Coordinates of all heavy atoms in Angstrom, one line a residue:
M396 N -3.6 -15.4 -2.6 CA -2.8 -14.2 -2.5 C -2.3 -14.1 -1.0 O -3.2 -14.1 -0.1 CB -3.5 -13.0 -2.9 CG -2.8 -11.7 -2.8 SD -1.4 -11.3 -3.9 CE -1.8 -12.0 -5.4
Q397 N -1.1 -13.8 -0.8 CA -0.5 -13.6 0.6 C -0.1 -12.2 0.8 O 0.3 -11.5 -0.1 CB 0.7 -14.5 0.8 CG 0.4 -16.0 0.6 CD -0.4 -16.5 1.7 OE1 -0.3 -16.1 2.9 NE2 -1.4 -17.4 1.4
A398 N -0.3 -11.7 2.0 CA 0.1 -10.4 2.4 C 1.5 -10.1 2.0 O 1.9 -9.0 1.6 CB -0.2 -10.1 3.9
V399 N 2.4 -11.0 2.2 CA 3.8 -10.8 1.9 C 4.1 -10.5 0.5 O 5.0 -9.8 0.1 CB 4.7 -12.0 2.5 CG1 4.5 -13.2 1.7 CG2 6.2 -11.6 2.5
E400 N 3.3 -11.2 -0.4 CA 3.4 -10.9 -1.8 C 3.1 -9.5 -2.2 O 3.8 -8.8 -3.0 CB 2.5 -11.8 -2.6 CG 2.9 -13.3 -2.6 CD 1.9 -14.2 -3.3 OE1 0.9 -14.5 -2.6 OE2 2.1 -14.5 -4.5
V401 N 2.0 -9.0 -1.6 CA 1.6 -7.6 -1.8 C 2.7 -6.6 -1.3 O 3.1 -5.7 -2.0 CB 0.2 -7.3 -1.1 CG1 -0.1 -5.8 -1.3 CG2 -0.8 -8.2 -1.7
K402 N 3.2 -6.9 -0.1 CA 4.2 -6.1 0.5 C 5.5 -6.1 -0.4 O 6.0 -5.0 -0.7 CB 4.6 -6.6 1.9 CG 5.7 -5.9 2.6 CD 6.0 -6.6 3.9 CE 7.3 -6.0 4.6 NZ 7.1 -4.6 5.0
N403 N 5.9 -7.2 -0.8 CA 7.2 -7.3 -1.6 C 7.0 -6.6 -2.9 O 7.9 -5.9 -3.4 CB 7.6 -8.7 -1.8 CG 8.1 -9.4 -0.5 OD1 8.4 -8.7 0.4 ND2 8.0 -10.7 -0.5
L404 N 5.9 -6.7 -3.6 CA 5.6 -6.1 -4.8 C 5.7 -4.5 -4.7 O 6.4 -3.8 -5.4 CB 4.3 -6.5 -5.5 CG 3.9 -5.6 -6.7 CD1 4.6 -6.2 -7.9 CD2 2.4 -5.5 -6.9
L405 N 4.9 -4.0 -3.7 CA 4.8 -2.6 -3.6 C 6.2 -2.0 -3.1 O 6.5 -0.9 -3.6 CB 3.7 -2.2 -2.6 CG 2.3 -2.5 -3.1 CD1 1.2 -2.2 -2.1 CD2 2.0 -1.7 -4.4
E406 N 6.9 -2.6 -2.2 CA 8.2 -2.1 -1.8 C 9.2 -2.1 -2.9 O 10.0 -1.3 -3.0 CB 8.7 -2.8 -0.5 CG 7.9 -2.5 0.7 CD 8.4 -3.0 2.0 OE1 9.2 -4.0 2.0 OE2 8.0 -2.5 3.0
A407 N 9.1 -3.1 -3.8 CA 10.0 -3.2 -4.9 C 9.7 -2.1 -6.0 O 10.6 -1.5 -6.6 CB 9.9 -4.5 -5.6
K408 N 8.4 -1.7 -6.1 CA 8.0 -0.8 -7.1 C 8.0 0.7 -6.6 O 8.2 1.6 -7.4 CB 6.6 -1.0 -7.6 CG 6.4 -2.4 -8.2 CD 7.0 -2.4 -9.6 CE 6.7 -3.7 -10.3 NZ 7.3 -3.7 -11.7
L409 N 7.9 0.9 -5.3 CA 7.8 2.2 -4.7 C 9.1 2.5 -3.9 O 9.1 2.0 -2.7 CB 6.6 2.4 -3.9 CG 5.3 2.2 -4.7 CD1 4.1 2.0 -3.7 CD2 5.0 3.3 -5.6
S410 N 10.0 3.1 -4.4 CA 11.3 3.4 -3.6 C 11.0 4.3 -2.4 O 10.1 5.1 -2.5 CB 12.3 4.0 -4.5 OG 11.9 5.3 -5.0
D411 N 11.7 4.0 -1.4 CA 11.6 4.8 -0.1 C 10.2 4.7 0.5 O 9.7 5.6 1.1 CB 11.9 6.3 -0.4 CG 13.4 6.4 -0.8 OD1 14.2 5.7 -0.2 OD2 13.7 7.3 -1.6
T412 N 9.5 3.6 0.3 CA 8.2 3.3 0.9 C 8.2 2.1 1.7 O 8.6 1.0 1.2 CB 7.1 3.2 -0.2 OG1 7.1 4.4 -1.0 CG2 5.7 3.0 0.4
Q413 N 7.8 2.2 2.9 CA 7.6 1.0 3.8 C 6.2 0.6 3.7 O 5.3 1.5 3.8 CB 8.0 1.4 5.2 CG 7.8 0.3 6.2 CD 8.0 0.7 7.6 OE1 8.7 1.7 7.9 NE2 7.5 0.0 8.6
V414 N 5.9 -0.7 3.5 CA 4.5 -1.1 3.4 C 4.2 -2.1 4.5 O 5.0 -3.1 4.6 CB 4.3 -1.8 2.0 CG1 2.9 -2.2 1.8 CG2 4.7 -0.8 0.9
E415 N 3.2 -1.9 5.2 CA 2.7 -2.8 6.2 C 1.3 -3.4 5.7 O 0.4 -2.6 5.3 CB 2.5 -2.2 7.6 CG 3.8 -1.6 8.1 CD 4.9 -2.6 8.4 OE1 4.5 -3.8 8.7 OE2 6.1 -2.3 8.3
V416 N 1.2 -4.7 5.6 CA 0.0 -5.3 5.0 C -0.7 -6.2 6.0 O 0.0 -7.0 6.6 CB 0.3 -6.1 3.7 CG1 -0.9 -6.7 3.1 CG2 1.1 -5.2 2.7
E417 N -2.0 -6.0 6.2 CA -2.8 -6.9 7.0 C -3.8 -7.5 6.1 O -4.3 -6.9 5.1 CB -3.5 -6.2 8.1 CG -2.5 -5.6 9.1 CD -3.2 -4.8 10.2 OE1 -4.4 -5.0 10.3 OE2 -2.5 -4.0 10.9
G418 N -4.3 -8.7 6.4 CA -5.3 -9.4 5.6 C -4.8 -10.7 5.0 O -3.6 -11.0 5.0
E419 N -5.7 -11.3 4.3 CA -5.4 -12.6 3.6 C -6.4 -12.9 2.6 O -7.4 -12.2 2.5 CB -5.3 -13.7 4.6 CG -6.5 -14.0 5.4 CD -6.4 -15.1 6.4 OE1 -5.4 -15.1 7.1 OE2 -7.3 -15.9 6.5
G420 N -6.1 -13.8 1.8 CA -7.1 -14.2 0.7 C -7.1 -13.1 -0.3 O -6.1 -12.8 -1.0
C421 N -8.2 -12.3 -0.4 CA -8.3 -11.3 -1.5 C -8.6 -9.9 -0.9 O -8.9 -9.0 -1.6 CB -9.3 -11.7 -2.5 SG -10.9 -12.0 -1.9
N422 N -8.6 -9.8 0.4 CA -8.9 -8.5 1.1 C -7.7 -8.1 1.9 O -7.2 -8.8 2.8 CB -10.1 -8.7 2.0 CG -11.3 -9.1 1.2 OD1 -11.6 -8.4 0.2 ND2 -12.0 -10.1 1.7
F423 N -7.2 -6.8 1.6 CA -6.0 -6.4 2.3 C -6.2 -4.9 2.8 O -6.9 -4.1 2.2 CB -4.8 -6.4 1.4 CG -4.5 -7.8 0.9 CD1 -4.9 -8.3 -0.3 CD2 -3.7 -8.6 1.8 CE1 -4.6 -9.6 -0.7 CE2 -3.5 -9.9 1.4 CZ -3.9 -10.4 0.2
Q424 N -5.5 -4.6 3.9 CA -5.4 -3.3 4.5 C -3.9 -2.9 4.4 O -3.1 -3.6 4.9 CB -5.9 -3.2 5.9 CG -7.3 -3.7 6.2 CD -7.5 -5.2 6.2 OE1 -6.7 -5.9 6.9 NE2 -8.5 -5.7 5.6
L425 N -3.7 -1.8 3.7 CA -2.3 -1.3 3.5 C -2.0 -0.1 4.4 O -2.8 0.9 4.3 CB -2.1 -1.0 2.1 CG -2.4 -2.0 1.0 CD1 -2.2 -1.5 -0.4 CD2 -1.6 -3.3 1.2
N426 N -0.9 -0.1 5.1 CA -0.4 1.1 5.7 C 0.9 1.4 4.9 O 1.8 0.6 4.8 CB 0.0 0.9 7.2 CG -1.2 0.8 8.0 OD1 -2.2 1.4 7.8 ND2 -1.2 -0.1 9.0
L427 N 0.9 2.6 4.2 CA 2.0 3.0 3.4 C 2.7 4.2 4.0 O 2.1 5.2 4.2 CB 1.5 3.3 2.0 CG 0.8 2.1 1.3 CD1 -0.6 2.4 1.0 CD2 1.6 1.6 0.2
I428 N 4.0 3.9 4.3 CA 4.8 4.9 5.0 C 5.8 5.5 4.0 O 6.7 4.8 3.6 CB 5.5 4.3 6.2 CG1 4.4 3.7 7.2 CG2 6.3 5.4 7.0 CD1 4.2 2.2 7.0
S429 N 5.5 6.8 3.7 CA 6.4 7.4 2.7 C 6.2 8.9 2.7 O 5.0 9.4 2.6 CB 6.0 6.9 1.3 OG 6.6 7.7 0.3
D430 N 7.2 9.7 2.8 CA 7.1 11.1 2.8 C 6.6 11.6 1.4 O 5.8 12.5 1.3 CB 8.4 11.8 3.2 CG 8.8 11.6 4.6 OD1 7.9 11.4 5.5 OD2 10.0 11.6 4.9
E431 N 7.1 10.9 0.4 CA 6.7 11.3 -1.0 C 5.2 11.1 -1.2 O 4.4 12.0 -1.6 CB 7.4 10.5 -2.0 CG 7.1 10.9 -3.4 CD 7.9 10.1 -4.5 OE1 8.9 9.4 -4.1 OE2 7.5 10.1 -5.6
L432 N 4.7 9.9 -0.8 CA 3.2 9.6 -1.0 C 2.4 10.5 -0.1 O 1.3 10.9 -0.5 CB 3.0 8.1 -0.7 CG 3.5 7.1 -1.8 CD1 3.2 5.7 -1.3 CD2 2.8 7.3 -3.1
A433 N 2.9 10.7 1.1 CA 2.1 11.5 2.1 C 1.9 12.9 1.6 O 0.9 13.6 1.9 CB 2.7 11.5 3.4
G434 N 2.8 13.4 0.7 CA 2.7 14.8 0.2 C 1.8 14.9 -1.0 O 1.6 16.0 -1.5
M435 N 1.3 13.8 -1.5 CA 0.5 13.8 -2.7 C -1.0 14.0 -2.4 O -1.4 13.7 -1.2 CB 0.6 12.5 -3.5 CG 1.9 12.3 -4.1 SD 1.9 10.7 -5.0 CE 3.6 10.7 -5.7
S436 N -1.8 14.4 -3.3 CA -3.2 14.4 -3.1 C -3.8 13.0 -2.9 O -3.1 12.0 -3.4 CB -4.0 15.1 -4.3 OG -4.0 14.2 -5.4
P437 N -4.9 12.8 -2.2 CA -5.4 11.5 -2.0 C -5.6 10.7 -3.3 O -5.3 9.5 -3.4 CB -6.8 11.7 -1.3 CG -6.5 13.0 -0.6 CD -5.7 13.8 -1.5
V438 N -6.1 11.3 -4.4 CA -6.3 10.6 -5.6 C -5.0 10.2 -6.2 O -4.9 9.1 -6.7 CB -7.1 11.5 -6.6 CG1 -7.1 10.9 -8.0 CG2 -8.5 11.8 -6.1
K439 N -4.0 11.0 -6.2 CA -2.7 10.7 -6.8 C -2.1 9.5 -6.0 O -1.5 8.6 -6.6 CB -1.7 11.9 -6.8 CG -2.1 13.0 -7.7 CD -1.7 12.6 -9.1 CE -1.9 13.7 -10.1 NZ -1.9 13.3 -11.4
R440 N -2.2 9.5 -4.7 CA -1.7 8.4 -3.9 C -2.3 7.1 -4.3 O -1.6 6.1 -4.5 CB -1.9 8.7 -2.4 CG -1.1 9.8 -1.8 CD -1.3 9.9 -0.3 NE -2.6 10.1 0.1 CZ -2.9 10.9 1.1 NH1 -2.0 11.6 1.8 NH2 -4.2 11.1 1.5
Q441 N -3.6 7.1 -4.3 CA -4.3 5.9 -4.7 C -4.0 5.4 -6.1 O -3.8 4.2 -6.4 CB -5.8 6.0 -4.5 CG -6.2 6.1 -3.1 CD -7.7 6.1 -2.9 OE1 -8.5 6.2 -3.9 NE2 -8.2 6.1 -1.7
Q442 N -3.8 6.3 -7.0 CA -3.4 6.0 -8.4 C -2.1 5.3 -8.4 O -1.9 4.3 -9.2 CB -3.4 7.2 -9.3 CG -4.8 7.8 -9.6 CD -4.8 9.1 -10.4 OE1 -3.8 9.8 -10.3 NE2 -5.8 9.4 -11.1
Q443 N -1.2 5.8 -7.6 CA 0.2 5.2 -7.5 C 0.1 3.7 -7.1 O 0.8 2.9 -7.6 CB 1.1 6.0 -6.6 CG 1.4 7.3 -7.0 CD 2.5 7.3 -8.2 OE1 3.5 6.6 -8.1 NE2 2.2 8.1 -9.2
I444 N -0.7 3.4 -6.1 CA -0.8 2.1 -5.6 C -1.6 1.2 -6.6 O -1.1 0.1 -6.9 CB -1.5 2.1 -4.2 CG1 -0.7 3.0 -3.3 CG2 -1.6 0.7 -3.7 CD1 0.7 2.8 -3.2
Y445 N -2.7 1.6 -7.0 CA -3.5 0.8 -7.9 C -2.8 0.5 -9.2 O -3.0 -0.6 -9.8 CB -4.9 1.5 -8.2 CG -5.9 1.3 -7.1 CD1 -6.5 2.4 -6.5 CD2 -6.2 0.1 -6.6 CE1 -7.4 2.3 -5.5 CE2 -7.1 -0.1 -5.6 CZ -7.7 1.0 -5.1 OH -8.6 0.9 -4.0
A446 N -1.9 1.4 -9.7 CA -1.2 1.1 -10.9 C -0.4 -0.2 -10.8 O -0.2 -0.9 -11.7 CB -0.2 2.3 -11.2
H447 N 0.1 -0.5 -9.6 CA 0.9 -1.7 -9.3 C 0.0 -2.9 -9.0 O 0.5 -4.1 -9.1 CB 1.9 -1.5 -8.3 CG 2.8 -0.4 -8.6 ND1 3.7 -0.3 -9.7 CD2 3.0 0.9 -8.0 CE1 4.3 0.8 -9.7 NE2 3.9 1.5 -8.7
L448 N -1.2 -2.7 -8.6 CA -2.1 -3.8 -8.1 C -3.1 -4.2 -9.2 O -3.8 -5.2 -9.0 CB -2.8 -3.5 -6.8 CG -1.9 -3.2 -5.6 CD1 -2.8 -2.8 -4.4 CD2 -1.0 -4.4 -5.3
N449 N -3.3 -3.4 -10.2 CA -4.4 -3.6 -11.2 C -4.5 -5.0 -11.8 O -5.5 -5.6 -12.0 CB -4.4 -2.6 -12.3 CG -5.1 -1.3 -11.9 OD1 -5.9 -1.3 -11.0 ND2 -4.8 -0.2 -12.5
A450 N -3.3 -5.6 -12.1 CA -3.3 -6.9 -12.7 C -3.9 -7.9 -11.7 O -4.7 -8.8 -12.1 CB -1.9 -7.4 -13.1
W451 N -3.6 -7.8 -10.4 CA -4.1 -8.8 -9.4 C -5.6 -8.5 -9.2 O -6.4 -9.4 -8.9 CB -3.3 -8.7 -8.2 CG -2.0 -9.4 -8.3 CD1 -1.6 -10.3 -9.2 CD2 -0.9 -9.2 -7.4 NE1 -0.3 -10.7 -8.9 CE2 0.2 -10.1 -7.8 CE3 -0.7 -8.4 -6.3 CZ2 1.4 -10.2 -7.2 CZ3 0.6 -8.5 -5.6 CH2 1.6 -9.4 -6.1
I452 N -6.0 -7.2 -9.2 CA -7.4 -6.9 -9.1 C -8.2 -7.4 -10.2 O -9.3 -8.0 -10.1 CB -7.6 -5.4 -8.9 CG1 -7.0 -4.9 -7.6 CG2 -9.1 -5.0 -9.0 CD1 -6.8 -3.4 -7.4
A453 N -7.7 -7.3 -11.5 CA -8.4 -7.7 -12.7 C -8.6 -9.2 -12.7 O -9.6 -9.7 -13.1 CB -7.6 -7.3 -13.9
D454 N -7.6 -10.0 -12.2 CA -7.7 -11.4 -12.2 C -8.4 -12.0 -11.0 O -8.6 -13.2 -10.9 CB -6.4 -12.1 -12.5 CG -5.4 -12.2 -11.3 OD1 -5.8 -11.8 -10.2 OD2 -4.3 -12.5 -11.5
G455 N -8.8 -11.1 -10.1 CA -9.6 -11.6 -8.9 C -8.7 -12.0 -7.7 O -9.2 -12.4 -6.7
S456 N -7.4 -11.9 -7.9 CA -6.5 -12.3 -6.7 C -6.7 -11.3 -5.6 O -6.5 -11.7 -4.4 CB -5.0 -12.3 -7.2 OG -4.8 -13.2 -8.2
I457 N -7.0 -10.1 -5.9 CA -7.3 -9.1 -4.9 C -8.7 -8.6 -5.2 O -9.0 -8.1 -6.3 CB -6.2 -7.9 -4.9 CG1 -4.9 -8.4 -4.5 CG2 -6.7 -6.8 -4.0 CD1 -3.8 -7.3 -4.6
H458 N -9.5 -8.6 -4.1 CA -10.9 -8.1 -4.3 C -11.0 -6.7 -3.7 O -11.7 -5.9 -4.3 CB -11.8 -9.1 -3.6 CG -13.2 -8.6 -3.6 ND1 -14.0 -8.5 -4.7 CD2 -14.0 -8.1 -2.6 CE1 -15.2 -8.1 -4.4 NE2 -15.2 -7.8 -3.1
A459 N -10.5 -6.5 -2.5 CA -10.7 -5.2 -1.8 C -9.4 -4.8 -1.2 O -8.6 -5.6 -0.6 CB -11.7 -5.4 -0.7
V460 N -9.1 -3.5 -1.3 CA -7.9 -2.9 -0.7 C -8.3 -1.6 0.0 O -9.0 -0.8 -0.6 CB -6.9 -2.5 -1.8 CG1 -5.7 -1.8 -1.2 CG2 -6.4 -3.8 -2.6
T461 N -7.9 -1.5 1.2 CA -8.0 -0.2 1.9 C -6.6 0.3 2.2 O -5.7 -0.5 2.4 CB -8.8 -0.3 3.3 OG1 -8.2 -1.3 4.1 CG2 -10.2 -0.7 3.0
M462 N -6.5 1.6 2.1 CA -5.1 2.2 2.2 C -5.1 3.4 3.2 O -6.1 4.1 3.3 CB -4.7 2.8 0.9 CG -4.6 1.8 -0.2 SD -4.2 2.7 -1.8 CE -5.3 1.9 -2.8
K463 N -4.1 3.4 4.0 CA -3.8 4.6 4.9 C -2.4 5.0 4.6 O -1.5 4.2 4.5 CB -4.0 4.2 6.3 CG -5.4 3.9 6.7 CD -5.5 3.6 8.2 CE -6.9 3.3 8.6 NZ -7.0 2.9 10.0
F464 N -2.2 6.3 4.5 CA -0.9 6.9 4.1 C -0.3 7.6 5.3 O -1.1 8.4 6.0 CB -1.0 7.8 2.9 CG -1.4 7.0 1.7 CD1 -2.7 6.8 1.4 CD2 -0.5 6.5 0.8 CE1 -3.1 6.1 0.3 CE2 -0.8 5.8 -0.3 CZ -2.2 5.6 -0.6
F465 N 0.9 7.5 5.6 CA 1.6 8.1 6.7 C 3.0 8.7 6.2 O 3.7 8.0 5.4 CB 1.9 7.1 7.8 CG 0.7 6.5 8.4 CD1 0.2 5.3 7.8 CD2 0.0 7.0 9.4 CE1 -0.9 4.7 8.3 CE2 -1.2 6.4 9.9 CZ -1.6 5.2 9.4
S466 N 3.3 9.8 6.7 CA 4.7 10.3 6.6 C 5.5 9.5 7.6 O 5.0 8.8 8.5 CB 4.8 11.8 6.9 OG 4.6 12.0 8.3
R467 N 6.8 9.5 7.4 CA 7.7 8.7 8.3 C 7.6 9.3 9.7 O 7.5 8.5 10.7 CB 9.1 8.8 7.8 CG 9.3 8.0 6.5 CD 10.7 7.6 6.2 NE 10.8 6.8 5.0 CZ 10.6 5.6 4.9 NH1 10.2 4.8 5.9 NH2 10.7 4.9 3.7
A468 N 7.5 10.6 9.9 CA 7.3 11.2 11.2 C 6.0 10.8 11.9 O 6.0 10.4 13.1 CB 7.5 12.7 11.1
T469 N 5.0 10.8 11.1 CA 3.6 10.4 11.7 C 3.6 9.0 12.1 O 3.1 8.6 13.1 CB 2.5 10.7 10.7 OG1 2.6 12.1 10.3 CG2 1.1 10.4 11.2
W470 N 4.2 8.1 11.2 CA 4.3 6.7 11.6 C 5.1 6.5 12.8 O 4.7 5.7 13.7 CB 4.9 5.9 10.4 CG 4.9 4.4 10.6 CD1 5.9 3.6 10.9 CD2 3.8 3.5 10.5 NE1 5.6 2.3 11.0 CE2 4.2 2.2 10.8 CE3 2.4 3.7 10.3 CZ2 3.4 1.1 10.8 CZ3 1.6 2.6 10.3 CH2 2.1 1.4 10.6
A471 N 6.2 7.1 13.0 CA 7.0 7.0 14.2 C 6.3 7.4 15.4 O 6.5 6.8 16.5 CB 8.3 7.8 14.0
E472 N 5.4 8.4 15.3 CA 4.7 8.9 16.5 C 3.7 7.8 17.0 O 3.3 7.8 18.1 CB 3.9 10.2 16.1 CG 4.8 11.4 15.9 CD 4.0 12.6 15.4 OE1 2.8 12.5 15.3 OE2 4.7 13.6 15.1
R473 N 3.3 6.9 16.1 CA 2.3 5.9 16.5 C 2.9 4.8 17.4 O 2.2 4.1 18.0 CB 1.8 5.2 15.2 CG 0.9 6.1 14.3 CD 0.6 5.4 13.1 NE 0.1 4.0 13.3 CZ -1.1 3.5 13.1 NH1 -2.0 4.3 12.5 NH2 -1.4 2.3 13.3
S474 N 4.2 4.7 17.3 CA 4.9 3.6 18.1 C 5.0 4.0 19.5 O 5.1 5.0 20.0 CB 6.3 3.4 17.5 OG 6.2 3.0 16.2

């Protein structure tokens, strides 16, 4: 599994979301930049992401995922 595959899948499925992925193999760290996701509860945010990754988790392509969520303004402040 490549980081670019995870990025492309999530950006295709989640409109108005920028995804930055680090990691390789089966362990990934996701930075998800989206005002919509940032406004959700932590559980709802994770459910949104896992819904798209579950097939890869089930077949072992992805073993571990850590997620951080940012609004667009908060992400811009980091730069």
Side-chain angles (χ1 to χ4, degrees):
M396 175 71 37
Q397 298 294 321
V399 70
E400 293 174 276
V401 176
K402 176 183 175 66
N403 290 341
L404 171 82
L405 291 175
E406 287 186 342
K408 298 287 185 181
L409 301 166
S410 63
D411 297 322
T412 300
Q413 177 184 342
V414 182
E415 300 296 329
V416 182
E417 296 178 15
E419 58 185 42
C421 58
N422 299 312
F423 297 97
Q424 301 81 44
L425 308 177
N426 290 321
L427 298 123
I428 302 97
S429 166
D430 291 335
E431 181 181 347
L432 289 173
M435 294 179 179
S436 73
V438 171
K439 291 283 187 193
R440 291 189 297 221
Q441 289 186 354
Q442 288 173 336
Q443 291 288 313
I444 304 309
Y445 282 124
H447 301 298
L448 298 179
N449 275 339
W451 284 343
I452 293 169
D454 75 9
S456 297
I457 295 177
H458 174 71
V460 177
T461 57
M462 298 176 228
K463 292 183 181 177
F464 295 87
F465 301 90
S466 67
R467 294 200 178 278
T469 303
W470 183 255
E472 290 172 7
R473 293 175 45 118
S474 302

